[in-house]
Amino acid sequence: MEVNEKIATDHGLKPDEYKKICDLLKRTPNLTELGIFSAMWNEHCSYKSSRLHLKKLNTKGKKVIQGPGENAGVIDIGDDDAIVFKIESHNHPSFIEPYQGAATGVGGIMRDVFTMGARPIANLNSIHFGSTQHKKTRNLLRGVVKGIGGYGNCIGVPTIAGQTCFDQSYNGNILVNAMTLGLVNKNKIFYSKAAGLNKPVIYVGSKTGRDGIHGASMASAIFDDKIEEKKPTVQVGDPFTEKLLLEACLELMSDKSIIAIQDMGAAGLTSSSIEMASKGNLGIELHLDKVPCREEKMTPYEIMLSESQERMLIVLENGKEDSAKKIFDKWNLDFAVIGKTTNSKNIELYFEKEKVANVPIKFLANEAPMYDRPWKKTKLPQKIKFSNNDFKKLKFNDVIKKMISNPNICSKQWIWEQYDHTVMGDTIQKPGGDAGVVRVHGTNKAIASSVDSSASYCHAHPFTGGKQVVCEAWRNLVSVGAEPIAITNCLNFGNPEKKENMGEFVECIDGINEASKHLNFPVVSGNVSFYNETKDKGIKPTPTIGGVGLIKDYKNLMTMSFKSKENLVLVIGKTEGNLDQSIFANVILDEKKGPPPEINLFNEKNNGETILKIIKEKLALSVHDVSLGGIMVGVLKMCINGNKGVKFYKFKDLINIYQYFFSEDQGRYIIEVDKNNIKKVESILKKNSVHFDLLGETTDKEIIINDEPTFTVDKITEFYKGWLYKYMS
């Protein structure tokens, strides 16, 4: 096929990009070369719209071993142990084919982790769906959850935490973000940088098929009415093969034979080979007829662009081929020597002795396009002036019922009970808490992790929203007694060619960076997903933050469950009563305007560190951060989890009761304290200049407001847990 501008455009390249390719090569590329350029220059692989701004992120820290630029980030947790972690999107594939899209998203992120020599120990996910009234939402939710569980459960890695949101902006573009944590000896980490000349390049894992061709390009495209035609671009996963691949790779890593290793993820063999060679400033020669294929008559173009799952590319030391092959034979996996490293600094492809491609690697990697796209700044919205008239018609008890059963607040047990969260035997905090927690096997250490996003806040004011989502991750880790160490991000946005969308991205990045620096909470890995848009309607800006922290002794794990009756309940942090962008304003008052809650980074850090001191002194019985739904929702979740009630004290100087109980002011926590320890707790709070309110005390079963029994825990639990089961029935 003769390549021209139209064919290039069909591959997702702009006319000026195609011209640049011809200029760089000083010739017209052939079809295979064009396919390689289209894969490496698409948004998903090149980060051409985001690289400029990602450079601003805070990526350094005392415990950071590896920051962005590798398959995953790595942090030091002491005793020669390290945690490898990353979050990635599989949004477009999951909308097209929810089961396989979500499943292969889980498989892909796990390969990123064990490629670095780490054994996966936990999975998390952040999933966003359209309106609960939308005709596709139920089926998409069901398919995605089955896909996540089907892959993670089969491979034997626990899913310990997650987040599920509903909003009409995702009607045509759901989000499926998958995160994995792995454990590795910090002296035995493997990287993707190729080194040395004439080193054998090894293909291992599953055979290559025609599934997933143009998957990376599809991930950088806008959806239209022909979405069903894109199903062949969705990869098909096999978790049982991935388990074999995991064990085989880890076995090979115990020997000193691997120079570099890279997962064949987006753009498959193309990206893995080019990235390895580029990092090592080398060339690479591949003989594509030696690639194990499961379909007949596959062309070089198809082989290079296939995104078939469960595959790795390895650069080995010379003479180690036979011993490595024995390992993969034992695990019944394909093993083939398909090429070698060279000093050409080109990718040279051969098929049946004919050279079918020859491209300088620098054109595909370091010299790939990088755009400084125009962007528009978002104005901070004016605050909404709520009056007493806004609240007069409301009945407090009805508001509570409506809030606790809201789709974005209610229990997601229907989802996480389909995941295996106890396999491997080290999960000590299951889904449903502030953060999932797994013990570091054979030690007293535990790793806490959570995923968070704040699309409504980011939509209202991206800079503030970017700060908030980092702070939310910080608070969730603090709430379980973990020292926050680092974060990974998955940045989900609309079309970056639109000034408004690009502005949302830039300002979210700036907000994330400011909070990350102030909290000493560096970004060590991540992913950007643009073009989340259907028929010119984009999603709300949705940066997802995965936070990781350390609990030095798992016996000090803190939960949100109220422990016993007649303990005191305190709110830590100042309640101002800001309702703008709150669930209450949205659901109860039907008000969607206004700014997000303000972020005071000094208070965030100070309040969080003070909570950790209280926990360390063993003065807190339970802790929960105040987030969506405000104080009332936070307290009721503690009641539900602990099967205990609460009696709220009357406040003489209480601001409007709705503003107090349902505002989403930031930097706040709810803690349960034994009455005998209250003076010690107050002393620590006052010493650190932390505001607190004495909210009430725990009861046996009753929830008492204004001295009147209002609900029982059983009834509140019914409201909280019932909605999603009914919705999915």
Side-chain angles (χ1 to χ4, degrees):
M1 182 186 290
E2 188 174 335
V3 171
N4 55 38
E5 186 179 293
K6 183 182 182 304
I7 292 173
T9 303
D10 291 341
H11 278 71
L13 293 162
K14 304 289 186 185
D16 62 318
E17 291 175 334
Y18 173 64
K19 184 179 182 302
K20 183 177 179 180
I21 291 168
C22 294
D23 291 344
L24 288 170
L25 294 176
K26 297 180 180 177
R27 60 178 173 84
T28 301
N30 63 38
L31 186 62
T32 300
E33 291 170 335
L34 182 74
I36 290 170
F37 270 104
S38 76
M40 295 305 297
W41 282 21
N42 71 53
E43 199 73 58
H44 194 76
C45 292
S46 73
Y47 286 33
K48 58 190 177 187
S49 299
S50 59
R51 285 202 327 266
L52 183 68
H53 302 283
L54 293 173
K55 293 177 181 179
K56 296 183 284 188
L57 288 173
N58 170 43
T59 62
K60 306 292 185 182
K62 290 181 179 180
K63 296 183 178 180
V64 176
I65 296 173
Q66 175 65 53
E70 267 294 340
N71 286 295
V74 188
I75 56 172
D76 191 339
I77 60 167
D79 308 307
D80 289 335
D81 292 325
I83 295 295
V84 179
F85 67 102
K86 188 182 181 183
I87 189 169
E88 265 199 348
S89 63
H90 228 222
N91 303 335
H92 283 40
S94 299
F95 186 72
I96 297 167
E97 214 299 301
Y99 182 92
Q100 289 296 348
T104 52
V106 173
I109 194 62
M110 280 198 282
R111 286 195 300 280
D112 281 340
V113 167
F114 73 73
T115 297
M116 300 192 71
R119 179 172 291 279
I121 59 172
N123 289 330
L124 301 89
N125 57 77
S126 175
I127 51 180
H128 294 66
F129 299 91
S131 164
T132 57
Q133 305 304 311
H134 193 268
K135 61 183 181 180
K136 288 187 176 182
T137 297
R138 279 187 185 83
N139 286 337
L140 287 168
L141 175 58
R142 186 173 283 108
V144 165
V145 170
K146 283 186 177 180
I148 292 170
Y151 207 101
N153 296 355
C154 289
I155 203 170
V157 177
T159 299
I160 63 168
Q163 175 198 31
T164 305
C165 299
F166 300 92
D167 187 276
Q168 64 179 7
S169 82
Y170 308 110
N171 282 351
N173 243 110
I174 66 171
L175 303 182
V176 176
N177 296 173
M179 178 176 171
T180 293
L181 312 177
L183 178 67
V184 68
N185 184 297
K186 72 177 185 180
N187 301 309
K188 297 179 180 179
I189 300 167
F190 288 80
Y191 299 95
S192 58
K193 179 181 176 180
L197 296 178
N198 296 313
K199 301 296 182 182
V201 177
I202 314 297
Y203 173 115
V204 299
S206 290
K207 287 180 169 59
T208 294
R210 290 188 171 95
D211 56 314
I213 293 174
H214 294 302
S217 299
M218 177 270 294
S220 301
I222 296 169
F223 286 158
D224 53 29
D225 290 328
K226 298 180 179 179
I227 189 171
E228 290 296 315
E229 297 176 9
K230 299 182 184 290
K231 280 193 175 183
T233 64
V234 179
Q235 310 91 334
V236 178
D238 180 356
F240 300 105
T241 300
E242 177 124 335
K243 174 65 174 174
L244 300 178
L245 183 62
L246 162 66
E247 299 300 340
C249 287
L250 293 181
E251 185 175 339
L252 181 61
M253 288 168 173
S254 64
D255 189 11
K256 294 182 179 180
S257 57
I258 294 179
I259 297 172
I261 181 168
Q262 178 73 41
D263 159 44
M264 290 192 218
L269 185 54
T270 292
S271 63
S272 57
S273 58
I274 291 168
E275 286 175 15
M276 292 171 82
S278 173
K279 289 175 180 177
N281 197 26
L282 295 169
I284 192 165
E285 177 185 302
L286 300 178
H287 295 262
L288 301 182
D289 46 309
K290 295 182 179 180
V291 172
C293 294
R294 67 169 181 262
E295 298 183 49
E296 294 182 358
K297 297 181 179 180
M298 288 191 69
T299 65
Y301 175 94
E302 292 171 325
I303 292 168
M304 289 302 292
L305 296 182
S306 167
E307 294 184 12
S308 294
Q309 299 291 284
E310 296 86 39
R311 303 179 299 160
M312 292 282 188
L313 200 64
I314 301 172
V315 178
L316 277 183
E317 291 285 1
N318 293 107
K320 296 290 186 177
E321 298 94 325
D322 289 343
S323 58
K325 186 175 185 305
K326 286 180 181 177
I327 292 172
F328 286 89
D329 285 348
K330 182 181 77 173
W331 291 100
N332 198 30
L333 294 166
D334 279 290
F335 178 100
V337 181
I338 65 169
K340 63 182 180 180
T341 58
T342 71
N343 63 359
S344 71
K345 298 188 181 180
N346 287 10
I347 180 168
E348 299 171 273
L349 304 181
Y350 293 84
F351 188 72
E352 296 177 349
K353 298 182 179 179
E354 179 186 352
K355 184 177 280 192
V356 294
N358 187 14
V359 179
I361 285 173
K362 66 181 181 180
F363 296 164
L364 300 163
N366 299 332
E367 295 183 19
M370 183 171 70
Y371 299 135
D372 185 4
R373 296 195 184 278
W375 60 277
K376 183 179 180 181
K377 192 176 179 89
T378 303
K379 292 182 180 179
L380 183 67
Q382 289 188 335
K383 284 192 173 186
I384 305 297
K385 294 181 180 179
F386 295 101
S387 68
N388 287 330
N389 289 332
D390 294 312
F391 309 110
K392 276 184 178 179
K393 295 180 180 179
L394 302 179
K395 294 182 179 179
F396 198 70
N397 292 2
D398 292 341
V399 169
I400 290 175
K401 287 190 286 186
K402 196 168 183 178
M403 289 289 292
I404 203 69
S405 59
N406 178 267
N408 287 319
I409 287 176
C410 73
S411 170
K412 305 305 185 296
Q413 187 171 328
W414 180 89
I415 294 171
W416 57 256
E417 69 181 3
Q418 297 180 60
Y419 306 149
D420 191 337
H421 46 267
T422 60
V423 65
M424 299 179 77
D426 285 315
T427 304
I428 55 176
Q429 169 82 299
K430 66 182 183 182
D434 285 305
V437 184
V438 290
R439 183 174 62 121
V440 177
H441 194 77
T443 76
N444 284 341
K445 294 183 295 189
I447 304 301
S449 187
S450 71
V451 285
D452 299 282
S453 67
S454 57
S456 293
Y457 294 170
C458 290
H459 183 61
H461 193 243
F463 178 70
T464 305
K467 288 195 290 184
Q468 190 278 336
V469 70
V470 174
C471 294
E472 176 67 15
W474 165 274
R475 291 196 298 271
N476 281 333
L477 297 176
V478 166
S479 296
V480 298
E483 173 200 354
I485 297 177
I487 58 179
T488 180
N489 59 43
C490 193
L491 307 173
N492 308 276
F493 291 81
N495 183 352
E497 297 166 47
K498 295 180 179 179
K499 291 181 181 180
E500 293 79 7
N501 292 346
M502 195 65 210
E504 290 172 340
F505 177 80
V506 172
E507 292 188 278
C508 274
I509 286 284
D510 290 342
I512 289 169
N513 188 46
E514 186 168 306
S516 168
K517 282 183 176 178
H518 193 92
L519 299 174
N520 297 321
F521 205 25
V523 180
V524 299
S525 60
N527 168 246
V528 178
S529 176
F530 278 133
Y531 296 99
N532 291 288
E533 193 161 302
T534 300
K535 296 182 181 179
D536 211 38
K537 290 184 178 179
I539 64 166
K540 289 179 178 177
T542 312
T544 301
I545 298 293
V548 178
L550 174 67
I551 303 173
K552 291 182 179 179
D553 187 342
Y554 70 86
K555 296 174 185 174
N556 296 329
L557 167 69
M558 190 59 52
T559 71
M560 69 165 68
S561 306
F562 281 147
K563 300 301 185 294
S564 59
K565 61 181 182 180
E566 298 181 357
N567 293 322
L568 296 176
V569 181
L570 284 70
V571 177
I572 309 301
K574 180 72 172 174
T575 299
E576 302 284 353
N578 293 303
L579 290 174
D580 298 295
Q581 293 301 325
S582 67
I583 295 280
F584 175 87
N586 189 326
V587 173
I588 306 299
L589 302 180
D590 195 29
E591 179 57 74
K592 298 175 176 60
K593 297 179 181 178
E598 295 176 7
I599 305 294
N600 183 315
L601 291 172
F602 175 84
N603 286 346
E604 287 284 358
K605 194 168 190 289
N606 188 48
N607 293 359
E609 290 177 343
T610 304
I611 290 291
L612 288 175
K613 288 177 184 175
I614 292 170
I615 293 172
K616 188 178 180 181
E617 295 293 326
K618 301 186 185 302
L619 297 173
L621 296 169
S622 62
V623 178
H624 181 38
D625 78 307
V626 180
S627 55
L628 293 181
I631 290 172
M632 179 58 71
V633 168
V635 170
L636 292 180
K637 284 184 178 182
M638 297 174 83
C639 291
I640 293 164
N641 278 270
N643 199 27
K644 293 286 180 289
V646 65
K647 178 182 178 181
F648 292 98
Y649 294 156
K650 287 185 176 181
F651 292 88
K652 294 179 182 178
D653 56 348
L654 184 67
I655 56 177
N656 180 286
I657 191 170
Y658 294 101
Q659 290 176 301
Y660 185 83
F661 280 114
F662 298 108
S663 70
E664 294 175 12
D665 299 313
Q666 301 293 290
R668 297 180 297 162
Y669 301 81
I670 303 162
I671 66 172
E672 177 190 12
V673 177
D674 187 299
K675 287 181 178 179
N676 295 321
N677 291 327
I678 187 62
K679 289 185 178 180
K680 292 179 182 177
V681 172
E682 287 180 348
S683 175
I684 293 172
L685 292 168
K686 289 174 181 177
K687 184 179 179 180
N688 290 278
S689 301
V690 175
H691 179 91
F692 67 94
D693 296 331
L694 189 57
L695 188 65
E697 62 184 73
T698 54
T699 67
D700 187 25
K701 284 281 191 176
E702 290 183 323
I703 294 162
I704 302 170
I705 303 172
N706 294 327
D707 290 331
E708 293 182 9
T710 307
F711 298 104
T712 62
V713 175
D714 290 342
K715 183 55 71 174
I716 284 292
T717 302
E718 185 183 315
F719 299 140
Y720 178 63
K721 291 187 176 181
W723 182 86
L724 191 53
Y725 283 100
K726 290 177 184 175
Y727 180 72
M728 296 306 298
S729 63

